[in-house]
Amino acid sequence: MNRTTITGACGNLGWKLLCHLVQQTDVEQIFGIALELPTDAQRHALSQLEQKSKLTFIRADLTSSNDRGWRDAIEQSNAVVHFAAQNPYPEANWNDAINSLDMTLNVANAAVAAGVERFVFASSNHVMGRYKDLPLSQSIGPGELTTDLDHAVGTVWMAGDTTMDSTIYAVAKSSGERACRALAQQSGGQTKFVCARIGWCQPGVNHPSTLSNAGTPTQSSAGAADDDPESARNEHWFKSMWLSNRDFVQLFSHAMFADSDRWPEPCIVVNAMSQNEAMPWSLTETKEWLRYDPQDGFVFS
């Protein structure tokens, strides 16, 4: 997968992976697709990295299926990692979700048409968000939230004084997973798909000390009383899905390069978290199919 396209290349996750891949000798060319080109700060950060000449940025609108800028990049690539979304946060509205799904459909269809070998879709933990609460929470123990369970779309929680409901955001991710599976079958397995349900990988340093029951960097945590069971449940849910920067780049690199011979079908779905204490999320599939070896994990004090 030595020629790679990354969509959403200047966002939180796309930027982290891009900076990692630039430094990998087995990646010869990277196309970074974004609606806006890198900021001055991002360009300065890239200037400190070796092998930056392998990187080309393309300003393109992924909701436009006729935009030759991004289509030409995909046609020159043998791997695509798709992060782009109109709103990457769980408070996305229906217009955001529709446009995000259009992006996924456009990019995934173009990848299959171009014969791309590997397509990695950044899905979300919010596809399974209803498992946080009753009655579904009673059906799983530690490590039992596997990727073959039925979708339970949308997390509902309190962030400060704000009621959050990620259902609309998660619909685009759930639908994206289904589209990837259908396209993998349609391609006869020529294009292999990995859908990674990302936990909580905060912008920037992403230190575990800044995790909270807010569940998203756009909201403040709730100053709940110690005896508030709902707040405690929310805090455990969100902290237990932490994905460190180091584990993030390892997991997505493995998603690009892992041998697919062990996969049960040409499209697999995996959970993308660090090895967090007592988390409900299963990493069994991620470790088996991608040879993922998490190095970090949140420990509850």
Side-chain angles (χ1 to χ4, degrees), residues 18-39:
L18 181 148
C19 290
H20 173 74
L21 293 179
V22 164
Q23 302 173 80
Q24 307 308 304
T25 57
D26 51 356
V27 177
E28 297 176 2
Q29 190 171 23
I30 302 169
F31 298 102
I33 298 177
L35 192 59
E36 299 293 339
L37 295 178
T39 64

Side-chain angles (χ1 to χ4, degrees), residues 57-291:
F57 282 102
I58 299 168
R59 185 175 181 178
D61 179 5
L62 294 174
T63 64
S64 172
S65 60
N66 297 319
D67 189 323
R68 287 308 312 177
W70 68 262
R71 296 187 73 90
D72 288 346
I74 286 176
E75 290 172 4
Q76 298 177 64
S77 300
N78 45 27
V80 174
V81 186
H82 179 52
F83 293 109
Q86 179 158 301
N87 185 342
Y89 296 112
E91 53 265 45
N93 60 35
W94 279 115
N95 186 60
D96 295 327
I98 290 168
N99 285 332
S100 293
L101 182 56
D102 283 349
M103 294 180 197
T104 300
L105 295 173
N106 285 341
V107 175
N109 274 291
V112 169
V116 169
E117 297 173 46
R118 184 67 52 86
F119 188 97
V120 183
F121 172 53
S123 187
S124 172
N125 63 86
H126 288 281
V127 168
M128 307 297 275
R130 302 283 169 169
Y131 283 93
K132 176 176 74 68
D133 301 312
L134 295 172
L136 290 177
S137 61
Q138 290 184 321
S139 67
I140 55 170
E144 294 181 354
L145 187 45
T146 59
T147 57
D148 61 351
L149 293 174
D150 290 341
H151 287 199
V153 175
T155 317
V156 179
W157 76 103
M158 290 296 298
D161 297 326
T162 304
T163 300
M164 302 291 294
D165 184 342
S166 69
T167 302
I168 295 172
Y169 166 82
V171 163
K173 296 298 188 180
S174 174
S175 300
E177 289 185 12
R178 302 301 297 171
C180 288
R181 186 173 185 223
L183 285 168
Q185 294 172 342
Q186 179 181 310
S187 76
Q190 179 182 12
T191 301
K192 303 294 195 302
F193 285 77
V194 179
C195 301
R197 292 177 179 167
I198 300 170
W200 194 357
C201 189
Q202 305 167 102
V205 176
N206 186 26
H207 194 274
S209 64
T210 54
L211 298 169
S212 72
N213 57 11
T216 171
T218 65
Q219 301 294 323
S220 300
S221 61
D226 293 339
D227 61 351
D228 182 350
E230 181 179 356
S231 178
R233 182 171 62 252
N234 292 343
E235 184 166 354
H236 187 277
W237 178 261
F238 288 119
K239 288 183 175 180
S240 70
M241 68 172 67
W242 181 52
L243 175 62
S244 73
N245 288 348
R246 175 166 58 172
D247 287 341
F248 163 73
V249 295
Q250 182 209 150
L251 192 153
F252 270 77
S253 295
H254 286 202
M256 292 170 57
F257 290 100
D259 187 346
S260 62
D261 288 347
R262 299 182 304 275
W263 298 4
E265 56 182 317
C267 177
I268 59 171
V269 181
V270 298
N271 288 325
M273 292 81 185
S274 291
Q275 190 69 62
N276 303 310
E277 181 182 39
M279 67 178 178
W281 308 93
S282 169
L283 293 179
T284 300
E285 301 91 343
T286 323
K287 293 176 179 179
E288 179 180 352
W289 297 334
L290 300 185
R291 293 294 189 250

Side-chain angles (χ1 to χ4, degrees), residues 42-54:
Q42 287 175 323
R43 289 191 178 278
H44 176 73
L46 280 179
S47 71
Q48 310 302 307
L49 302 178
E50 296 181 4
Q51 305 184 61
K52 54 185 176 292
S53 61
K54 68 174 68 174

